Amino acid sequence: MESNKVTDLTTLNQLSGGDSARKEKYIHLFLTMLPGQLESAQKASSDQDWPRLKNAVHTLKSQLGYMGVKKGQDLAQQIEKMADEQIQLEDIPTCMNNFVAICHQAEIELKAEIS
């Protein structure tokens, strides 16, 4: 994996069993789901709707795992914990900005992977 990349497709390659069409299908599904889920998480964060934020990032966390976006997964887990326990709420906007940036980078990398 290149050091500046946020994706590592090792898990996805294993899941797809080396079938490139299957791998592309999983990437397409992720890319289709990502904008709506990110928008939902951002809206929940700006509304300070902590239960909804927790659920939104939880959904993204597992999807990011399949795409090997470890930094995004780690941030999602951190945001999920803060929202669930309602701790360090002042840090959520910064974490969300970083999370969104990582997700957008993953989106760029995954689009390049299937183009």
Side-chain angles (χ1 to χ4, degrees):
M1 182 173 88
E2 295 173 33
S3 61
N4 60 342
K5 288 185 88 173
V6 298
T7 56
D8 175 356
L9 299 180
T10 303
T11 300
L12 184 59
N13 287 328
Q14 291 170 345
L15 280 174
S16 60
D19 181 340
S20 60
R22 196 167 170 196
K23 177 178 156 183
E24 280 192 28
K25 177 183 166 193
Y26 290 135
I27 291 173
H28 278 292
L29 285 171
F30 175 79
L31 292 174
T32 301
M33 175 272 318
L34 182 63
Q37 288 293 329
L38 265 183
E39 185 179 323
S40 176
Q42 289 174 295
K43 175 117 175 66
S45 177
S46 66
D47 292 347
Q48 297 185 358
D49 184 339
W50 308 129
R52 203 170 88 228
L53 176 60
K54 177 191 170 217
N55 289 335
V57 295
H58 179 80
T59 300
L60 279 164
K61 182 175 68 177
S62 52
Q63 297 300 318
L64 290 167
Y66 295 129
M67 299 299 137
V69 186
K70 180 77 171 116
K71 284 182 187 177
Q73 229 183 347
D74 291 346
L75 260 176
Q77 187 169 355
Q78 183 181 353
I79 294 165
E80 186 179 11
K81 180 179 172 59
M82 289 188 292
D84 184 43
E85 297 177 14
Q86 296 190 18
I87 55 172
Q88 297 173 280
L89 298 177
E90 68 280 359
D91 294 338
I92 288 179
T94 300
C95 290
M96 279 300 298
N97 287 338
N98 293 336
F99 182 69
V100 169
I102 289 168
C103 288
H104 285 308
Q105 179 63 34
E107 185 177 24
I108 290 165
E109 291 173 20
L110 292 168
K111 283 179 179 175
E113 183 69 28
I114 59 174
S115 63

